[in-house]
Amino acid sequence: MTTDKTLSPAEEALREDALEYHRSPSRGKIKVVPTKPLSNQRDLSLAYSPGVAYACLAIEENPELAVEFTSRANLVGVITNGTAVLGLGDIGPLASKPVMEGKACLFQNFAGIDVFDIELAERDPDKLVEMIAALEPTLGGINLEDIKAPECFYIEKKLRERMNIPVFHDDQHGTAIISAAALLNGLELVKKAIGDIKLVASGAGAAAIACLDLMVELGVKRENMFVCDSRGVIYEGREDKLDASKQRYVRKTNARTLADAIKDADVFLGCSAAGVLSAEMVKSMGSQPIILALANPEPEIRPELALAARPDCIIATGRSDYPNQVNNVLCFPYIFRGALDCGATRITEAMKIACVREIADLAKAEISEEVANAYAGQELRFGPEYIIPKPFDSRLILRIAPAVARAAEESGVAKRPIKDMVAYRQSLTRFVSHTGMFMRPIFEAARLDPQRIVYAEGEDERVLRAVQIALEEKLVRPILIGRPAVIEARIERAGLRLQAGRDFELVNPEDDARFRQYWEAYHEIKARDGVTPEMAKSILRRSNTIIAAMLVKLGDADGMLCGLVGRFDGHLEHIGDIIGLRDGAKGFATLNGLVLDQHTLFIADTSVNDDPDAEQIADIAAMAVEEVRRFGVPPKVAFLSHSMFGSSTRPSALKMRAARNVFAERMPDVESDGEMHGDAALSATIRAQYLPKSTLTGNANVLIMPNLDSANILFNVLKMTGGQGVTVGPVLLGAAAAVHVLTPSATVRRVVNMTALVVANAISKKQGEK
């Protein structure tokens, strides 16, 4: 975020895209959705008068029943007065609302927690305390956000004293928890005892003080800490008045500047401003220094500068484009998840420390197959460039929430202690695949090594807009097929900044120096199918998909996207002729993914096989599982049918039962079951009524359909009625190269998503060849 009024063309484009994102198709980023049906008079009488009175009276008699009869136990208030918005400063409550809505999205997407964002036009700390405390009957927890120091310390303290629900100022404690985990793992790598280190901090605001306080809890000696604020070192005898939060870090020292204090330091903690730590200062630090440069968006020192000055240092920042990102999303959704589920009345130091240790331990844990696939190409092994987990590691919620709930019980603040932690952890798997962020691991994999991707419909405005976005995201090295004059005119009409030769390679289907090479190669492929040399020349000029496929076939591109114009089957036929099947694949299939309110689902086969037999369906399921793992999601496969575990003996039911058995033999490590109804796939409760010992736990996320019609219809109905605008696909399975065939209905967003996926596919293919 920036407050600079003079924007570069790229920033201006980002600004327009961001404004449109917040404006359309509906205003803002969140809404309230009923969780109960209201379709008839009976529903109305239960939801409101007279039935609602029974719930009200029950709660009046026993307030604890609010957990049973209302949404309060899963409802957090994200509350601010807008006095310290990250990167923007004191912009006030109304201007801060988009940030609070964004925080609400993170709570919901990462941990299934509902949020009311509450922006208060009040600067007086005591009045804020009164306002927020009065909300206790409404909320199960409070996340204070972007309130300036030192008022934030006072407000949180008073609210913790008055309220019987968790109160958590994420700017303070979220940053503290993640940075403390980074510190523990960094010290383990450099083999330094936490009680012996010298730590120097730049910054004395809310985040810095919370970091220091938590590090003291973990064993850093206060007398070994030296803190600098905007006036220099906080030393004994300094004339300016220091608030209580700074007073405890006053030191008797001759150091007056950061440069003075940093000499021989083992750890630098930065929660201040860009560039305050110089390379010379880093050189003066002790051996194998740990640098936590957390200023955003620009750290106190860039990692490349720090490493150039001291190759032996370990560095973490708040940025996603460097290793070791200190990101609060590693923590706050899950600490609230655990606190809400056990009915914690507050978040204790023990709960925070439990969170610290789980995050630290996860970085040292063996990488699961799903995580490895999601971050393909990245070295996710405990070491200097991996001291904290990735924000999209699906195991975070499974480890942190139970640890927090256990610590709450041990601290004596859990009103509803969790009796069966194993069952509780299993219940949390419902959140693992339900995330609107499920494309993020694919994007991260693509950014590591952008590949040459050819777009057959290079003249399509959706492609041009998607390429602009993909370039800004550093995802791709694009190749566009199209007539130069047409592409240039459409770039200008769309107001884009693309330029042939600079931003993308242009292949003119009417005039390309490789034309002879390509038609000769195509003729060689199709000569025995009745294609003459003259026909090869003519076909190649008429079909951009064939040109794109030849680019991939001859090694001039690493992958391709096509299908925005024309029939899917026609594009697939060309791909089958030129690129063909990969080794071991018996046929093509497609997979589509989409995000629903309560589920992220992958559906196969949506486009290729009309009525596959049991063996083919098992093959499709196996290929789908392989692709789903790229998203960091543990696949759970349901074979769907009109039949429910033997309730029908019709051929289609028997086919799906046999397909599941074949699949289970091939991939016994993957949870699967069937044949079953669609509702049973998404509800363990329904399955248990029919088959208590189902081999599928929780909710399925890969739905294997009996034929093309059912798969395609289901996907398109769900896309229109339940999706959030996040769809992926069709993902072509079984091809020998990274290639996907889109559909004419694809949006710009889907083209961007598929760009990231085809790049990730191309990277995986290269790694497989190596």
Side-chain angles (χ1 to χ4, degrees):
M1 286 188 275
T2 178
T3 56
D4 186 357
K5 302 299 182 184
T6 304
L7 300 177
S8 68
E11 290 171 322
E12 181 62 34
L14 178 61
R15 174 183 178 275
E16 291 303 316
D17 288 346
L19 293 178
E20 184 62 21
Y21 175 87
H22 283 80
R23 181 187 298 121
S24 299
S26 58
R27 296 182 177 95
K29 296 192 286 284
I30 58 174
K31 65 178 180 179
V32 177
V33 180
T35 61
K36 298 293 193 296
L38 197 64
S39 56
N40 54 46
Q41 183 60 40
R42 176 66 173 171
D43 290 343
L44 184 60
S45 68
L46 295 173
Y48 204 55
S49 182
V52 71
Y54 297 107
C56 294
L57 292 171
I59 294 169
E60 182 189 31
E61 183 178 341
N62 178 7
E64 293 302 315
L65 289 177
V67 172
E68 300 293 327
F69 301 137
T70 76
S71 62
R72 181 175 182 261
N74 194 50
L75 183 61
V76 167
V78 174
I79 302 178
T80 190
N81 65 355
T83 53
V85 178
L86 179 65
L88 299 176
D90 187 351
I91 61 174
L94 184 59
S96 73
K97 186 173 176 62
V99 179
M100 301 309 119
E101 288 188 357
K103 193 66 173 276
C105 293
L106 296 179
F107 266 110
Q108 175 56 231
N109 282 323
F110 280 95
I113 294 171
D114 297 320
V115 165
F116 287 163
D117 69 292
I118 302 171
E119 296 77 28
L120 298 173
E122 183 56 68
R123 303 177 73 90
D124 183 287
D126 289 308
K127 290 182 180 179
L128 272 173
V129 169
E130 293 298 326
M131 289 176 171
I132 297 169
L135 295 169
E136 184 165 353
T138 299
L139 304 169
I142 289 173
N143 184 100
L144 298 174
E145 192 80 12
D146 293 345
I147 300 173
K148 72 182 181 73
E151 288 91 334
C152 59
F153 301 112
Y154 174 81
I155 292 166
E156 185 188 41
K157 180 176 182 293
K158 289 297 182 183
L159 290 173
R160 285 166 60 92
E161 291 170 356
R162 289 183 54 171
M163 303 183 78
N164 209 33
I165 58 175
V167 178
F168 186 81
H169 186 206
D170 185 47
D171 299 328
Q172 296 181 55
H173 307 301
T175 303
I177 287 167
I178 313 307
S179 59
L183 175 66
L184 290 181
N185 279 346
L187 291 176
E188 181 174 331
L189 285 171
V190 300
K191 297 180 171 56
K192 293 183 181 179
I194 195 167
D196 297 336
I197 63 169
K198 175 185 176 182
L199 185 149
V200 175
S202 174
I209 295 297
C211 290
L212 295 170
D213 289 346
L214 187 56
M215 289 171 181
V216 168
E217 288 284 333
L218 288 168
V220 181
K221 292 180 180 176
R222 204 181 293 269
E223 59 266 28
N224 292 340
M225 290 177 158
F226 298 83
V227 181
C228 302
D229 61 11
S230 59
R231 296 171 61 90
V233 175
I234 299 174
Y235 63 91
E236 189 176 290
R238 212 172 83 169
E239 294 181 358
D240 57 314
K241 186 177 180 180
L242 299 172
D243 61 68
S245 64
K246 293 183 182 181
Q247 281 286 354
R248 57 182 175 269
Y249 292 104
V250 171
R251 291 291 162 269
K252 188 174 182 179
T253 177
N254 293 323
R256 295 294 181 264
T257 67
L258 177 60
D260 296 335
I262 200 74
K263 291 175 183 175
D264 299 321
D266 300 290
V267 178
F268 169 81
L269 171 66
C271 296
S272 53
V276 300
L277 185 66
S278 69
E280 290 304 314
M281 294 181 197
V282 172
K283 289 178 181 178
S284 73
M285 293 180 72
S287 64
Q288 295 182 284
I290 297 168
I291 299 170
L292 308 176
L294 309 183
N296 252 325
E298 187 65 30
E300 285 80 1
I301 188 170
R302 285 269 185 157
E304 59 268 27
L305 296 178
L307 289 164
R310 288 293 297 272
D312 63 338
C313 77
I314 296 174
I315 183 165
T317 70
R319 294 175 61 111
S320 61
D321 52 350
Y322 289 106
N324 299 325
Q325 184 192 13
V326 175
N327 188 329
N328 287 13
V329 82
L330 284 163
C331 158
F332 71 81
Y334 315 123
I335 199 168
F336 267 102
R337 181 75 276 159
L340 292 171
D341 290 342
C342 72
T345 57
R346 59 183 43 83
I347 292 175
T348 65
E349 290 302 307
M351 293 160 74
K352 289 190 286 184
I353 289 173
C355 190
V356 170
R357 297 201 182 280
E358 287 299 327
I359 292 170
D361 288 346
L362 184 55
K364 294 179 282 188
E366 182 179 343
I367 299 300
S368 68
E369 184 176 2
E370 288 77 32
V371 174
N373 279 311
Y375 295 94
Q378 298 189 40
E379 185 67 31
L380 303 186
R381 183 179 297 133
F382 182 53
E385 293 193 346
Y386 188 65
I387 58 173
I388 39 181
K390 293 289 186 180
F392 294 86
D393 192 322
S394 59
R395 298 169 296 175
L396 284 162
I397 192 170
L398 304 180
R399 297 185 65 140
I400 293 174
V404 167
R406 189 180 302 109
E409 181 178 0
E410 293 169 355
S411 301
V413 299
K415 291 190 295 184
R416 301 185 302 277
I418 293 170
K419 296 176 182 178
D420 187 341
M421 278 293 173
V422 174
Y424 174 59
R425 188 179 187 278
Q426 180 60 43
S427 75
L428 293 171
T429 60
R430 70 191 188 275
F431 299 117
V432 169
S433 64
H434 171 50
T435 165
M437 309 293 220
F438 85 123
M439 279 301 301
R440 187 61 182 266
I442 303 297
F443 275 64
E444 292 207 6
R447 282 193 194 98
L448 282 175
D449 188 13
Q451 300 290 297
R452 300 167 301 163
I453 303 302
V454 56
Y455 298 80
E457 292 88 9
E459 296 176 2
D460 194 294
E461 188 171 311
R462 288 169 293 176
V463 167
L464 296 173
R465 291 188 180 278
V467 166
Q468 181 78 75
I469 294 167
L471 285 169
E472 290 168 357
E473 293 279 342
K474 300 179 181 177
L475 299 174
V476 69
R477 292 153 57 196
I479 304 169
L480 303 185
I481 300 177
R483 293 161 293 178
V486 174
I487 288 179
E488 185 177 349
R490 290 180 179 174
I491 287 172
E492 184 176 354
R493 184 178 68 188
L496 303 175
R497 291 166 285 107
L498 296 173
Q499 182 178 320
R502 183 192 68 187
D503 299 310
F504 61 89
E505 179 185 338
L506 179 61
V507 175
N508 182 355
E510 298 175 347
D511 182 20
D512 188 278
R514 297 166 290 189
F515 177 66
R516 181 183 182 90
Q517 176 193 3
Y518 284 9
W519 74 253
E520 287 181 346
Y522 180 69
H523 173 255
E524 186 174 339
I525 293 169
K526 297 290 290 179
R528 292 187 177 276
D529 293 322
V531 175
T532 66
E534 288 304 312
M535 290 172 64
K537 293 177 187 179
S538 177
I539 291 170
L540 201 66
R541 288 199 185 279
R542 291 200 312 266
S543 174
N544 285 8
T545 295
I546 291 178
I547 296 172
M550 293 304 299
L551 280 162
V552 175
K553 180 74 172 178
L554 298 180
D556 292 328
D558 303 307
M560 66 173 278
L561 291 176
C562 62
L564 288 173
V565 178
R567 293 171 50 250
F568 180 94
D569 291 347
H571 293 284
L572 184 60
E573 183 180 352
H574 295 321
I575 288 165
D577 287 343
I578 297 167
I579 292 175
L581 294 167
R582 72 183 187 189
D583 290 343
K586 298 176 183 178
F588 293 114
T590 55
L591 177 74
N592 278 78
L594 74 166
V595 175
L596 306 176
D597 286 339
Q598 297 298 322
H599 306 277
T600 294
L601 298 177
F602 296 87
I603 301 168
D605 163 27
T606 53
S607 306
V608 179
N609 298 282
D610 288 336
D611 188 16
D613 61 26
E615 286 282 341
Q616 288 175 303
I617 289 172
D619 290 340
I620 291 167
M623 291 191 294
V625 161
E626 181 182 339
E627 196 65 37
V628 167
R629 281 174 167 157
R630 294 187 193 281
F631 295 84
V633 175
K636 296 187 176 188
V637 184
F639 292 79
L640 299 193
S641 171
H642 71 278
S643 175
M644 185 70 169
F645 296 126
S647 66
S648 170
T649 57
R650 291 179 178 178
S652 64
L654 297 177
K655 176 180 75 171
M656 295 307 287
R657 190 185 313 171
R660 183 266 166 183
N661 292 338
V662 172
F663 175 82
E665 287 182 10
R666 292 184 189 173
M667 304 189 82
D669 59 317
V670 178
E671 286 192 30
S672 67
D673 215 337
E675 81 286 9
M676 71 176 74
H677 291 171
D679 57 352
L682 304 181
S683 170
T685 302
I686 294 175
R687 285 199 305 278
Q689 295 172 5
Y690 290 84
L691 191 68
K693 294 185 179 180
S694 170
T695 52
L696 179 66
T697 62
N699 302 332
N701 51 34
V702 182
L703 307 182
I704 304 299
M705 309 301 290
N707 55 45
L708 185 149
D709 281 346
S710 60
N712 193 281
I713 291 167
L714 176 62
F715 169 72
N716 282 294
V717 168
L718 290 177
K719 178 182 71 176
M720 295 304 296
T721 60
Q724 302 174 9
V726 181
T727 56
V728 180
V731 178
L732 186 60
L733 308 175
V739 50
H740 298 296
V741 183
L742 302 174
T743 59
S745 64
T747 61
V748 171
R749 188 174 189 180
R750 199 190 306 183
V751 177
V752 174
N753 285 341
M754 292 303 293
T755 294
L757 184 60
V758 74
V759 171
N761 293 153
I763 293 171
S764 294
K765 185 176 184 301
K766 286 185 176 180
Q767 291 172 342
E769 290 171 352
K770 289 178 182 178

